[in-house]
Amino acid sequence: MFFKSSVHRASTLFSTELSQVLRKRCLSTAVSPVELAHDEHIPADGNRSHRPLLILHGLFGSKRNWQSLSKAFMRDLSRPVYTLDLRNHGSSPHARPMTYSHMAADVFSFCQKHSLRNISLMGHSMGGKVAMALALHPELPSTLLTDLIVSDIAPARAKVSQDTVQHIRAMEIIQAGNISTRKEADEIMSEHEQDPSVRSFLLTNLEINKATPVKFKIPVDILKEGRAEIESFPYAPGERSWDGRALIIKGKKSKYINRHNIPLIDQFFPQNQLKELDTGHWVHAELPHEYRKLVVNFITQ
């Protein structure tokens, strides 16, 4: 069964650190996937499973962030489009642990359940790492993926982002503050995040009920526990590669893809095409028309 744990002997070509990573991943108990919430857009011919586009959001995001683009992709491609809520996000279950191996297993389980094949898999930021982790898995069925589209993230093991630390800290303060309005929450968040558009994005996760203090729909405690894993990546350079077609879209003003980690992309995905748009990290939101054109041209070429 896909993602079932098995024992692998680490090659002597790998470093001690890599051997430890391999042992941790391969000797764990079998992954139990969660059932992911999703939205679907089905073309007029009723095709629900052949050559679909699957879209995976980033950290603190949800399928709601892709509503307009997913409908446009369905019209442009005349193929089914599915947007997923990853575990601990949106309407999907809250579950530990928050690792890329588990998130990739969740996505694979969704594909199995819906009999999807020859998929174009697209992910932004954390969702991009989930997509790459799935593509690189040694037990990936050969008919599952056709194209990989990764938006502004590299398969790198990075330090925990201070932005993420501050955002989670703000969420903790908001939840402990016994406040009742979005305005109050935004005032607290502004002490930790200056960009109003980022604050607005983070506060889409806020649940407001007049009878009770505000709280977040996402499990802040689980995401805090998983910060290091979210910044990491389950494979080391030279360990795995995927020879399928891959489109990597970089935001010109973003540092998530840079001269230091572009060689990693080339090692993991030797057939990749790297394209750049004049945006920050939220490439698809800042230039949606240009982003859409890049993706459609890549899938249909």
Side-chain angles (χ1 to χ4, degrees), residues 59-61 65 124 163 167 171 182 186 189-190 192-205 279-286:
L59 180 63
F60 304 129
N65 306 141
H124 170 248
D163 286 343
H167 294 161
M171 291 178 181
R182 181 187 177 90
D186 186 58
M189 186 67 75
S190 67
H192 301 265
E193 173 56 63
Q194 294 184 347
D195 189 330
S197 63
V198 175
R199 294 203 305 272
S200 179
F201 164 72
L202 294 170
L203 293 176
T204 59
N205 292 293
T279 69
H281 183 50
W282 280 272
V283 187
H284 61 284
E286 295 176 47

Side-chain angles (χ1 to χ4, degrees), residues 82-94:
Y82 295 88
T83 53
L84 310 186
D85 278 340
L86 297 172
R87 65 167 57 197
N88 301 313
H89 289 76
S91 300
S92 284
H94 298 175

Side-chain angles (χ1 to χ4, degrees), residues 46-57:
N47 169 30
R48 306 183 69 90
S49 61
H50 184 61
R51 293 302 312 273
L53 171 63
L54 254 68
I55 303 176
L56 311 178
H57 61 79

Side-chain angles (χ1 to χ4, degrees), residues 50-52 79 117-121 140-149 242-246 298-299:
H50 184 61
R51 293 302 312 273
R79 299 177 186 177
R117 61 191 187 280
N118 298 318
I119 297 165
S120 296
L121 182 61
L140 179 78
S142 61
T143 59
L144 189 70
L145 295 186
T146 298
D147 307 302
L148 183 68
I149 302 112
W242 188 68
D243 293 325
R245 299 174 67 246
F298 172 74
I299 292 176

Side-chain angles (χ1 to χ4, degrees), residues 261-281:
N261 57 39
I262 286 176
L264 289 179
I265 297 173
D266 293 336
Q267 286 185 56
F268 283 118
F269 305 101
Q271 303 301 321
N272 84 83
Q273 302 175 32
L274 179 62
K275 303 292 184 180
E276 188 175 82
L277 290 176
D278 191 16
T279 69
H281 183 50

